[in-house]
Amino acid sequence: MSGWGATGLTVERGGHTSLADVSVTVEPGEIVAVVGGDGAGKTTLLRTLAGAIRPAAGEVSAPPLERIGFMPTAAGVWRDLSVDENIAFVAAAHGLAGAELEERRAALLRGAGLEGATTRLARNLSGGMRQKLAFSLAMLHRPDLLILDEPSTGVDPVSRVDLWRMVSLAASQGAAVVMATTYLDEAERAHRVLVLNGGSVLLDGTPAEVLDGVPGHVVEADAPGDPARTWRRGRRYRVWSPEDPPTGAARVSDIEDAVVAAAIAKGA
């Protein structure tokens, strides 16, 4: 297996199978988006890749721990420390100092828009600023593998754009990025998408391959149809059909429809 990731990963926790035969690969310079509902196994997969969970079966390929950057959900900063103190603490852990540290610190603060907030305690930052600080801390040592657990969940729209820009920059500089996200527009901008459902892989591939890999097809409707195959988007409805689409027609319009339709097809 080239790049980093996992093959045939199975994780059992408390008598429950959290992941079942899950494989994922991310190359340097790529972004893999991991999507799925609550309990799908996203965080378990990311923590296993980071070495925090030992799998029951399968193989994990990852760089040494010191070459991994990890940003957990709604955490990743020390709230009682200032922005500068957070950076100094993480820098010391990685042995960064002098001109090298100053160059990285300045670049990350500039990218995060935190240059004017370096003396503020992390707990006094807005949610978006705190998440951007957490990302900066995960990137400070320029890891080979960057693991992000829903970095933009719950932040304001402007900060979400900033975070995606920072993630894209990290990939362009050579990091292999695996990120869980609840925002499917972010998944559409990733190099590859892994859709989990109940600990199993539902869809996997480039965004285009995911759209084409959905069983059956989805159509728009003005009124709801079979409740087991219908969901609402905006003022209209989507209805999944197990039949292949008519010649020349798309199976689904976007990743959101693909995820919902694939889940319905699995249940059917």
Side-chain angles (χ1 to χ4, degrees):
M1 179 178 67
S2 62
W4 310 113
T7 303
L9 199 63
T10 295
V11 174
E12 297 178 354
R13 307 184 70 187
H16 170 72
T17 300
S18 301
L19 294 175
D21 194 25
V22 172
S23 298
V24 61
T25 302
V26 57
E27 302 285 347
E30 282 189 345
I31 301 171
V32 171
V34 182
V35 302
D38 291 342
K42 302 187 299 297
T43 295
T44 299
L45 173 60
L46 268 55
R47 294 188 65 205
T48 305
L49 291 177
I53 295 176
R54 179 175 295 179
E59 178 184 351
V60 174
S61 174
L65 286 177
E66 63 269 19
R67 299 304 307 153
I68 297 175
F70 183 71
M71 178 180 171
T73 304
V77 303
W78 288 266
R79 292 174 176 248
D80 291 332
L81 299 181
S82 69
V83 171
D84 264 344
E85 289 168 339
N86 269 276
I87 294 173
F89 183 77
V90 172
H94 290 288
L96 295 172
E100 182 182 28
L101 172 58
E102 285 307 308
E103 182 270 327
R104 295 187 186 187
R105 173 186 175 280
L108 288 169
L109 288 175
R110 184 169 57 252
L114 292 171
E115 306 104 307
T118 57
T119 61
R120 290 173 61 181
L121 295 180
R123 67 166 178 259
N124 294 331
L125 298 175
S126 68
M129 294 175 74
R130 196 157 48 242
Q131 289 297 89
K132 287 187 286 186
L133 173 60
F135 178 88
S136 298
L137 297 178
M139 268 300 295
L140 188 62
H141 62 301
R142 293 182 180 168
D144 298 321
L145 176 61
L146 180 60
I147 301 172
L148 310 171
D149 197 354
E150 299 187 10
S152 55
T153 296
V155 305
D156 63 273
V158 174
S159 292
R160 190 158 75 90
V161 171
D162 288 343
L163 277 164
W164 179 257
R165 176 177 46 77
M166 295 166 72
V167 172
S168 299
L169 178 61
S172 72
Q173 293 174 341
V177 182
V178 181
M179 63 177 289
T181 179
T182 58
Y183 296 104
L184 298 180
D185 61 311
E186 292 181 347
E188 290 178 336
R189 296 196 291 270
H191 294 88
R192 297 185 64 84
V193 181
L194 179 71
V195 182
L196 296 178
N197 179 274
S200 300
V201 176
L202 195 59
L203 294 167
D204 179 27
T206 67
E209 289 169 344
V210 165
L211 296 182
D212 195 49
V214 176
H217 72 288
V218 173
V219 297
E220 286 193 10
D222 293 321
D226 180 351
R229 298 180 177 181
T230 303
W231 65 100
R232 187 164 187 162
R233 286 192 64 179
R235 296 186 177 183
R236 305 200 71 193
Y237 295 88
R238 299 287 202 273
V239 181
W240 175 75
S241 167
E243 305 296 329
D244 284 336
T247 303
R251 292 184 180 275
V252 292
S253 60
D254 56 23
I255 295 288
E256 182 173 347
D257 279 353
V259 171
V260 177
I264 292 174
K266 180 181 179 182

